[in-house]
């Protein structure tokens, strides 16, 4: 029997007992021994482990699609701005959504962090992955290939969530010359093995553990398909490699980043969307683009009705029914007139209060996330841009220019004819091609650039000079209070 992971119907019986994790609170201990028994009963069969795996994927989807994380990188970097109100009195005034108000101004607070739910949710997912890993080898009703596949997916999920947490809570890898600055807690054991009070690893060690998890997983993946649903909605060897190439790039391990991205481009069996279909594929209301490597699809109930999708943040229905975020003019100005990617924006007039008078101004809603879109985790275009950045730093500018031009040619943008200013050209190509997919702020940090948000910035702080302690968020105070070994980020 197989289980749908794009329909989040079943979870661990113990998940509610694990909401507060090993560095959050001690509620878990208060549940023993009853919870302990339920964990053992749940995970002693293949059916139970697959249910747990299904629940883990649902939690990943919920965490990465949350209203804060899904906009974090693009609104901090300047790709997004906030729409005028459609309903408040007076109509057309601007208001920063409460859930982003602190981090948007680079003023998040540890005591009530905007990202507290993301932090705790991330470690819940890691704990779920660890439980799956701890029980899978003992299964008596699963083949070795099935057990290896389960472990591969859980290891990849563990690395993925640690990577996202590292990007949000630790400075980029080259912030110090030897990456000796604070990384994150790297959990490899579940709460079931006892409450622990770990310290944060260095960034160097954090990346070492992530890479070890992914490379171990790559040696375990089999051809077994254990969960129903589209193949792009769960971890497999191709998208595990895509995660690895991104980790290598963030680590500035350019040789391995190049080789891994090159392997995906040549051997994954996935091809770039062509120019003719590029806009139409992004406009599909329910399906991802054909070059997707991993999309966390939205959940649906037994009648097939979709739950809240990314359109809840980016969607446009009418002049009086639309959501919070649109493209900034800062982003729109980067596209050439003939660039087909300009067609990915739905231009609509919205009532806007200007000098206390309502006027209609045009705003640009992305077509990437209309209808019922899922969270785009990895797609092939990114791999070309990773290979380009790695090639450039391996003193192979011709290859870098070739890869940039592959993306530009598809978009009908002017091709680069020489190797001057390739670093900036690549940075901007990533900004245009991968907009709203969660890259910009982290690209800025990795490249040691300053932030300058101009159009539509409603923040008290519209710029940020690198380096700054505000490139990372505070560890939630509740976690710090519980774990005396958990050190807070600078300035918080």
């Amino acid at each position: 029997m197989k289980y749908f992971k794009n329909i989040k119907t079943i979870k661990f019986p113990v998940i509610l007992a694990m909401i507060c994790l090993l560095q959050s609170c001690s509620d878990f201990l208060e549940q023993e021994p009853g919870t302990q028994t339920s964990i053992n009963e749940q995970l002693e069969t293949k059916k139970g482990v697959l249910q747990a795996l299904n629940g883990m994927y649902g939690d990943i989807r919920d965490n990465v699609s949350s209203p804060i994380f899904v906009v974090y990188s693009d609104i901090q970097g300047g790709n997004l701005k906030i729409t005028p109100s459609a309903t408040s009195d007076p109509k057309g005034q601007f208001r920063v959504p409460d859930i982003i108000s602190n981090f948007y101004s680079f003023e998040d607070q540890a005591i009530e962090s905007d990202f507290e739910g993301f932090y705790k949710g991330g470690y819940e997912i890691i704990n779920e992955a660890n439980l799956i890993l701890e029980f899978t080898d003992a299964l008596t009703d699963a083949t070795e290939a099935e057990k290896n596949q389960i472990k591969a997916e859980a290891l990849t999920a563990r690395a993925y969530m640690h990577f996202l947490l590292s990007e949000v809570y630790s400075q980029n890898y080259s912030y110090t010359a030897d990456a000796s600055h604070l990384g994150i807690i790297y959990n490899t054991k579940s709460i079931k093995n006892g409450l622990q009070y770990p310290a944060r690893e260095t960034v160097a060690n954090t990346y070492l553990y992530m890479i070890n998890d992914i490379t171990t997983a790559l040696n375990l993946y089999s051809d077994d398909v254990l969960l129903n649903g589209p193949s792009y909605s769960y971890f497999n060897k191709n998208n595990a490699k895509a995660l690895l190439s991104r980790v290598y790039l963030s680590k500035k391990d350019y040789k391995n980043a190049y080789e891994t991205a090159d392997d995906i481009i040549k051997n994954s069996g996935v091809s770039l969307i062509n120019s003719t279909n590029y806009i139409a594929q992004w406009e599909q209301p329910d399906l991802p683009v054909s070059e997707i490597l991993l999309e966390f699809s939205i959940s649906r109930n037994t009648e097939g009705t979709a739950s809240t999708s990314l359109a809840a943040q980016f969607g446009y229905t009418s002049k009086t029914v639309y959501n919070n975020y649109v493209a900034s003019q800062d982003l729109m100005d980067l596209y050439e007139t003939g660039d087909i990617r300009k067609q990915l924006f739905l231009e609509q007039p919205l009532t806007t209060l200007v000098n206390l008078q309502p006027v209609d101004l045009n705003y640009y809603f992305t077509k990437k996330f209309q209808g019922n879109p899922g969270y785009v985790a990895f797609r092939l275009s990114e791999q070309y841009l990773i290979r380009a950045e790695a090639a450039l730093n391996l003193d192979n500018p011709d290859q870098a220019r070739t890869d940039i031009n592959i993306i530009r040619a598809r978009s009908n943008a002017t091709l680069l004819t020489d190797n001057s200013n390739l670093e900036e050209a690549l940075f901007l190509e990533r900004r245009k091609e991968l907009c709203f997919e969660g890259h910009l702020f982290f690209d800025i940090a990795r490249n040691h650039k300053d932030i300058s948000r101009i159009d539509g910035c409603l923040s008290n702080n519209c710029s940020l000079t690198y380096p700054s302690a505000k490139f990372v968020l505070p560890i939630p105070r509740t976690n710090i209070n519980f774990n005396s070994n958990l050190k807070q980020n600078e300035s918080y």
Side-chain angles (χ1 to χ4, degrees):
M1 183 177 182
K2 296 179 180 179
Y3 302 87
F4 288 92
K5 80 162 74 53
N6 60 325
I7 304 176
K8 189 178 175 184
T9 55
I10 307 175
K11 297 186 64 175
F12 287 102
V14 299
I15 289 303
L16 292 179
M18 297 191 303
I19 288 177
C20 294
L21 290 179
L22 57 99
Q23 69 272 34
S24 301
C25 70
S26 57
D27 288 355
F28 176 82
L29 295 182
E30 298 169 7
Q31 299 294 325
E32 299 292 350
T35 302
Q36 184 73 53
T37 302
S38 65
I39 293 173
N40 290 337
E41 290 176 350
Q42 171 75 24
L43 299 179
E44 66 184 5
T45 66
K46 181 176 75 171
K47 176 181 178 180
V49 169
L50 293 181
Q51 289 172 341
L53 192 66
N54 184 64
M56 181 195 72
Y57 276 108
D59 285 342
I60 294 173
R61 180 198 64 234
D62 291 347
N63 218 32
V64 297
S65 301
S66 66
I68 55 166
F69 185 74
V70 77
V71 301
Y72 177 66
S73 184
D74 284 278
I75 199 159
Q76 294 301 82
N79 275 350
L80 288 173
K81 66 180 181 180
I82 296 163
T83 56
S85 172
T87 57
S88 65
D89 186 20
K91 185 177 178 181
Q93 66 181 344
F94 291 98
R95 181 175 176 273
V96 177
D98 290 340
I99 60 172
I100 74 165
S101 60
N102 289 334
F103 76 71
Y104 178 56
S105 295
F106 304 106
E107 295 174 345
D108 200 19
Q109 302 296 315
I111 193 168
E112 290 184 353
S113 171
D114 290 341
F115 258 69
E116 183 171 359
F118 180 81
Y119 186 88
K120 291 182 177 179
Y123 279 106
E124 287 173 22
I125 293 161
I126 290 164
N127 194 66
E128 293 166 19
N130 285 334
L131 280 166
I132 292 168
L133 289 165
E134 289 163 7
F135 277 84
T136 296
D137 278 331
L139 293 176
T140 58
D141 58 345
T143 66
E144 286 303 307
E146 289 173 331
K147 289 190 283 189
N148 284 343
Q149 179 69 21
I150 292 168
K151 289 189 292 183
E153 293 184 44
L155 281 167
T156 308
R158 185 169 81 181
Y160 179 61
M161 287 314 307
H162 279 115
F163 177 69
L164 296 183
L165 288 163
S166 177
E167 287 206 302
V168 173
Y169 290 101
S170 60
Q171 296 279 2
N172 70 91
Y173 194 91
S174 58
Y175 183 75
T176 56
D178 57 357
S180 60
H181 54 290
L182 281 177
I184 58 171
I185 290 174
Y186 205 96
N187 284 345
T188 58
K189 295 181 180 179
S190 73
I191 302 172
K192 177 182 176 292
N193 283 324
L195 201 65
Q196 303 158 58
Y197 301 88
R200 296 173 67 175
E201 300 288 345
T202 64
V203 168
N205 282 343
T206 300
Y207 274 71
L208 180 67
Y209 294 141
M210 286 189 289
I211 291 167
N212 182 66
D213 274 353
I214 304 167
T215 53
T216 300
L218 288 173
N219 290 322
L220 292 172
Y221 276 106
S222 66
D223 294 328
D224 285 67
V225 178
L226 301 177
L227 299 167
N228 277 345
S231 61
Y232 56 75
S233 69
Y234 50 85
F235 289 113
N236 55 41
K237 183 170 284 190
N238 278 338
N239 56 48
K241 288 178 182 178
L243 171 60
L244 184 59
S245 72
R246 189 186 293 178
V247 171
Y248 280 139
L249 184 71
S250 297
K251 186 175 181 283
K252 299 194 174 182
D253 181 346
Y254 296 118
K255 179 178 183 296
N256 280 313
Y258 183 97
E259 291 176 354
T260 308
D262 186 64
D263 180 21
I264 296 166
I265 291 166
K266 292 178 178 177
N267 301 313
S268 67
V270 179
S271 301
L272 287 176
I273 316 167
N274 61 41
S275 298
T276 304
N277 296 326
Y278 189 78
I279 304 302
Q281 287 206 15
W282 277 114
E283 288 179 333
Q284 296 174 124
D286 293 291
L287 295 174
V289 294
S290 61
E291 66 174 52
I292 201 73
L293 296 170
L294 178 63
E295 178 193 89
F296 293 110
S297 303
I298 63 173
S299 61
R300 295 176 182 272
N301 61 23
T302 53
E303 286 75 37
T305 303
S307 65
T308 301
S309 74
L310 270 67
Q313 310 308 320
F314 303 100
Y316 176 87
T317 302
S318 70
K319 190 177 179 180
T320 58
V321 180
Y322 53 86
N323 290 299
N324 288 331
Y325 305 101
V326 288
S328 68
Q329 199 64 46
D330 300 358
L331 172 64
M332 297 303 299
D333 288 345
L334 297 178
Y335 296 100
E336 299 173 79
T337 301
D339 193 323
I340 65 171
R341 290 173 295 193
K342 292 194 76 171
Q343 300 173 37
L344 276 177
F345 297 92
L346 182 64
E347 184 178 359
Q348 293 293 336
L350 302 180
T351 300
T352 308
L353 209 60
V354 179
N355 297 325
L356 302 181
Q357 297 299 316
V359 297
D360 278 355
L361 297 179
N362 287 343
Y363 292 82
Y364 297 90
F365 292 85
T366 178
K367 293 182 181 180
K368 285 184 175 181
F369 304 122
Q370 306 297 315
N372 299 307
Y375 179 85
V376 178
F378 301 97
R379 61 185 179 94
L380 192 64
S381 290
E382 181 195 359
Q383 299 306 309
Y384 279 88
L385 296 171
I386 287 175
R387 190 170 69 176
E389 189 169 337
L392 183 58
N393 285 278
L394 292 170
D395 199 26
N396 188 356
D398 289 343
Q399 179 64 54
R401 176 162 54 90
T402 295
D403 282 332
I404 296 170
N405 278 342
I406 287 172
I407 302 300
R408 291 177 69 85
R410 177 182 63 182
S411 302
N412 197 35
T414 303
L415 300 185
L416 305 177
T417 57
D418 58 52
N419 295 338
S420 61
N421 299 318
L422 281 181
E423 184 175 352
E424 183 65 11
L426 175 57
F427 175 82
L428 294 177
E429 204 59 42
R430 284 182 62 92
R431 184 172 182 179
K432 290 181 288 183
E433 178 63 28
L434 304 177
C435 62
F436 319 131
E437 297 174 47
H439 296 273
L440 179 58
F441 183 68
F442 306 121
D443 285 353
I444 290 170
R446 187 179 73 254
N447 287 281
H448 298 190
K449 289 179 172 288
D450 300 335
I451 290 173
S452 178
R453 303 181 296 194
I454 302 172
D455 178 49
C457 181
L458 304 178
S459 169
N460 295 327
N461 300 306
C462 289
S463 61
L464 191 64
T465 301
Y466 185 91
S468 169
K470 299 304 183 182
F471 270 88
V472 296
L473 295 182
I475 305 294
R477 179 67 58 80
T478 53
N479 299 71
I480 296 288
N481 290 343
F482 181 70
N483 180 358
S484 60
N485 294 320
L486 182 57
K487 188 175 179 180
Q488 182 58 274
N489 280 324
E490 181 187 352
S491 87
Y492 298 109

